[in-house]
Amino acid sequence: MSLTVIAECLAAPGQEDRLRTALEAMIEPSLEEPGCLAYRPYLDPNHVGRMVIVEEWTSAQSLADHFTTPHFRHVEQVLELVLAEPMTLRTLVAAPIG
């Protein structure tokens, strides 16, 4: 069963560009990971500092492996410096239909 992950980030004032750059740098290496089906950051047009990343993973294990990669560890360090509040992470599965 695949997992959809929604990660929400709020940049500290003046750190919006740094947040965007850090999250955009995650796209290519994340998509190259085994089990990554989608990885896409979005900007909130109503709040300049808010970004949401929507990811899809083939399994909980592939997501867990993602959290151990060098590129994730790097962005984690950058986020500690640029976020106004801790990142919110939601992991979802498809609702049964019928």
Side-chain angles (χ1 to χ4, degrees):
M1 172 185 321
S2 70
L3 302 173
T4 298
V5 175
I6 300 172
E8 295 184 48
C9 299
L10 177 62
Q15 298 295 319
E16 297 85 2
D17 286 341
R18 196 164 175 201
L19 173 62
R20 183 184 47 77
T21 300
L23 296 180
E24 286 176 355
M26 289 289 293
I27 297 169
E28 187 175 324
S30 296
L31 288 172
E32 291 175 358
E33 290 179 52
C36 184
L37 302 172
Y39 190 96
R40 178 140 188 191
Y42 294 87
L43 295 170
D44 183 338
N46 299 310
H47 194 295
V48 69
R50 187 166 308 279
M51 289 190 72
V52 174
I53 305 95
V54 179
E55 311 168 33
E56 188 174 2
W57 297 89
T58 57
S59 67
Q61 184 60 54
S62 61
L63 177 59
D65 292 345
H66 170 66
F67 294 140
T68 67
T69 62
H71 54 274
F72 183 84
R73 289 185 183 158
H74 173 75
V75 81
E76 209 171 23
Q77 292 174 344
V78 173
L79 294 180
E80 286 180 22
L81 301 173
V82 303
L83 292 183
E85 59 190 40
M87 178 174 60
T88 302
L89 190 68
R90 291 182 180 85
T91 303
L92 310 168
V93 296
I97 298 175

